[in-house]
Amino acid sequence: MRKRFIAGAICRNCQAKDTLALWRESGVEVVECVKCGDQMREADKQVRSAVRKDEKIIGVFTPE
């Protein structure tokens, strides 16, 4: 697993600059701040965009 840093990126949690590392895990892109440990996965973005804002959903099941 090779991690790459994202130049100029700012962490959404701790606001630190140049601390985000990117790698692929089971075909999903993972971004992690090496300073605070906050993680974001590409699948998380897809789920958020599929959820309509007026609904209250507990979870989305996607069989692999």
Side-chain angles (χ1 to χ4, degrees), residues 10-62:
I10 297 173
C11 176
R12 65 182 178 175
N13 186 47
C14 71
Q15 304 300 309
K17 187 175 180 181
D18 293 331
T19 60
L20 298 181
L22 168 72
W23 71 92
R24 291 186 73 79
E25 189 174 275
S26 302
V28 176
E29 287 187 348
V30 179
V31 177
E32 179 181 44
C33 176
V34 297
K35 182 175 181 184
C36 72
D38 183 50
Q39 281 192 355
M40 183 175 72
R41 298 176 183 277
E42 186 63 31
D44 295 342
K45 282 184 186 177
Q46 292 170 356
V47 169
R48 280 196 301 268
S49 67
V51 174
R52 292 171 285 221
K53 68 178 184 177
D54 294 331
E55 292 182 308
K56 295 180 181 176
I57 295 178
I58 295 172
V60 177
F61 175 72
T62 326

